[in-house]
Structures are given as C-alpha cells and as structure tokens.
Amino acid sequence: QHHHRILMDKYHPGYFGKVGMRHFHKTQNKYYCPIVNVDHLWTLVSDETRQNALKNSSDQVPVIDVTQSGYSKVLGKGRLPSAPVIVKA
C-alpha cells in the first residue's frame, strides 16, 4: 500500500497525514517549562556574589536557584567559569 513510504518520509515528511497518538483537549499549560542556558546562569545572581565566587576559592560555594528567577530547566549551551557553583532547578 505505502511501499514508497521510506522515500516519502525521508524527502517529503508529513505527506501521509496524521501519525502518532492523539491527545484530546491538549492544553499547553502542562508543557510550560521555561529554559535557561548554562552561560546565562551567572546573570541570575548579584554581581557581588559572582565576583566573590570567582576570586575566592574557599569553602563557601554560591547556590544559584533558577526557580526563583522563573526558570524550570537548565540547558547545557555555553561554558561556565572554573569556579564551583551549585545549581538548583
């Protein structure tokens, strides 16, 4: 019946119509998950905290809580400074 399906799926995705499971009464509230990248983590804390963490290598490690800033997920794009930090998500 759909013996050309591999070719069509490869070069013309979506040609054969509906595929997959149905989700009745889909509301987007369940899928709301704001993100922040790793390279923007230090913008969530004060500048004084960042300076102290970068110049002091003591037992005090700063804790960055991303949920207080309205984020739920931390993605791995970017690089952090070599200072240790605890990220709560």
Side-chain angles (χ1 to χ4, degrees), residues 9-56:
D9 282 343
K10 184 175 179 181
Y11 295 109
H12 309 285
Y15 178 80
F16 286 116
K18 297 176 181 165
V19 180
M21 297 189 328
R22 295 180 293 175
H23 187 213
F24 299 109
H25 191 67
K26 182 176 180 181
T27 56
Q28 295 299 326
N29 294 338
K30 294 179 191 168
Y31 305 106
Y32 179 74
C33 187
I35 60 171
V36 63
N37 283 318
V38 168
D39 54 354
H40 291 291
L41 282 179
W42 281 109
T43 61
L44 303 179
V45 295
S46 65
D47 198 35
E48 178 185 329
T49 305
R50 182 171 60 87
Q51 294 296 332
N52 289 340
L54 292 178
K55 68 181 174 184
N56 294 342

